[in-house]
Amino acid sequence: MNKLRGFYNRFLKNYIVLMIIIAAGLYLVIETLARHSLIDSAMFFVQHPLVTICNVMLIFALLSLSMLFRKRVFALCLLSMVWLILGIINGIILSNRMTPFTVKDLSSLGDGLTIVTNYFNTKTIILAVAAAVAIILSIILLYRKTPKLKEKVRYRKASVAIVLIFALTFGAVQVGMKAGVLDTFFGNLAYGYRDNGVPYSFLVTWVKTGIDKPADYSEEKITGIFRNGELGDDGIYTPGDDDEINPEGKPNIIFLQLESFIDPTLVEGLEFSKDPVPNYRKLMKEYSSGYLTVPSVGAGTANVEFEVMTGISAKFFGPGEYPYKGILKEVTCETTPYDLKQLGYSSHAIHNHRGAFYGRNKVFANMGFDTFTCLEYMNNVMKTPKNWAKDGILTEQILDALNSTDGRDYIYTISVQGHGRYPDEEVLENPVITVTDAASEEEKWGYEYYANQVYEMDLFVKELTDTLENYDEDVILIMYGDHLPALDMTEDRMKNGSLYQTEYIIWDNFGMEKKDMDLYAYNITAEVLDRLDISAGMMTKYHQNYKDNKTYRSDLKALAYDMLYGEQYIYGGENPFEPTDLKMGVKDIKINEVVQIGEDYYIKGENFTEFSKISLDGDILKTVYLGPTILALKEEVEPEDVSRMKVSQVEKNKEILSTTE
């Protein structure tokens, strides 16, 4: 006992107290940045003391590593800076979207940097860079100026202390979990951070990834999920063995996922000079419609399309996780494109934004698509004041996809015009719609900008449906918003009482019966196919036949685990889906001839865009886009190399998406 007391007095007493105080201070700062209010964070401390203790201990545990260094003050400052930077990044992200910062955002860092100018003005970006430089210089200065301990570090005692601190922290967190004080699953990521604290929640997004293995996972469990003989006596699904492989009489199927699209009048406390979505509202009255529950708020477009195309809930994965950035980069997954191939459908993805965003140019091959037309393959693209492509261009792209094949087509279209960040000052001159009543000036300008983008998206919806009405083939068009916009919304301000519901419409040009119901993003496709008398696909069958079962969600999760992480018992132990040879763009980019005028070379061809660059053996050459049929080379090449020149589509980060043969 005396030895323990001596150990504490000589080595730990003052420094331990100091670290605890610093940890508590850091936690207050982190929560203040997240909640954008010192009062709210202080109230959280008072109302949730056990959550606060667990989060402070997590910070304290990391700070305790400083005991291993002679430059203890420098190490303490450096480790404190790690937590402080986490708090700052989370605060900035929450000021621009409703989803907090997660570990998975680090894997999307490249994507985030490509759209930083859409969220921040040049001045803010310069200040951010200056702050980063200042932090680096401060670290260097701290290292040079902070003193070393006079005595040597007692590594054995320091290690014992650190192990004890980590053990106590782990124990406290485990007790918090078992007592229900700390949540282990976030049905709502934003609420999870709010109720459990930023440090704990951030670490959960690191530790918890993928789909958890079911406790009763086995071959018998998986093959026994289908109990009505849908897959045969062995309970195994083999693509191509479906009874119904007859595409006759089936329509073209188009999904239109509208970026951040909702009816702005659903938000309480706002008044508009005119209806922002008159056409969408009219279509909802005339065609099948209802609320669509989506897995995200303010962000997470890729997870909505994942749910719609796979029938798997994104909430089965870790908090803030994107399957596009993880498992789908590695394996193929049963999707609607794969299922409809059995009926002779061709599958096309369309997105008026960067093809490499969320890795779609690679992931879509693992999801069964035949073609992917992204921004780099589009001409005459109009932009919003926030530099997002307007959606009007998509009507032409959808028609091009429909006309690219002789048979039936499945088209998944992802729009982008409604994307944030939304301004807190006046941006639009002479807007079509004005906000006549709002809680503040900042809210007025944000919603006014948003309402005008939605109004233009609504006009696009009318143009598209008018065009498809006269199309010479049957078409069914499913439209919905991917999530609520990243505006200051709360559940009590939504007339439907939810932040996770948008509105969908099932439109057609052949007279389907109107049938209204509320759906989830992961079962809307099965419902649409059911109305078309299509049951191709294992997941389609599951949703259509077992949606009313008590074990519907748990069995769906078990199937998802088996498909993506398990032994694939449902397929007989082997994934039957091969990656497709994904073609970028439905139109062929061709070189017809190379013309030399003086010392300059020009390439004449077809379907060039502003992203078309002349390339030589994989190297991108200086190119001037002169039009969809001609490119000018602004770089010297050897005459013998001219015949090897090709045209590549190059996105803004210099990634080559495709190259002519």
Side-chain angles (χ1 to χ4, degrees), residues 3 29 55 73 87 99 147 168 175 182 197 256 268 306 319 323 381 402 408 489 495 501 516 555 603 609 634:
K3 288 184 178 180
V29 171
N55 279 278
V73 175
T99 306
L168 286 171
V175 169
L182 295 174
L256 174 58
E268 298 277 10
F306 169 81
V381 179
L402 285 171
R408 294 295 189 246
M489 294 177 173
K495 292 180 181 178
Q501 287 184 330
D516 295 343
D555 284 348
I603 289 185
T609 74
K634 291 300 179 183

Side-chain angles (χ1 to χ4, degrees), residues 93 125 396:
I93 285 177
I125 294 171
E396 175 188 349

Side-chain angles (χ1 to χ4, degrees), residues 594-602 604 630:
V594 179
V595 178
Q596 183 176 11
I597 301 177
E599 296 183 353
D600 296 327
Y601 288 98
Y602 298 85
K604 291 185 177 181
I630 187 165

Side-chain angles (χ1 to χ4, degrees), residues 27-28 31-32 35 37-52 194-195:
Y27 184 50
L28 180 63
E31 291 299 331
T32 299
R35 300 167 195 273
S37 169
L38 176 60
I39 295 175
D40 288 349
S41 58
M43 288 297 295
F44 179 77
F45 279 30
V46 174
Q47 295 170 355
H48 303 278
L50 296 179
V51 174
T52 298
R194 181 195 67 187
D195 298 338

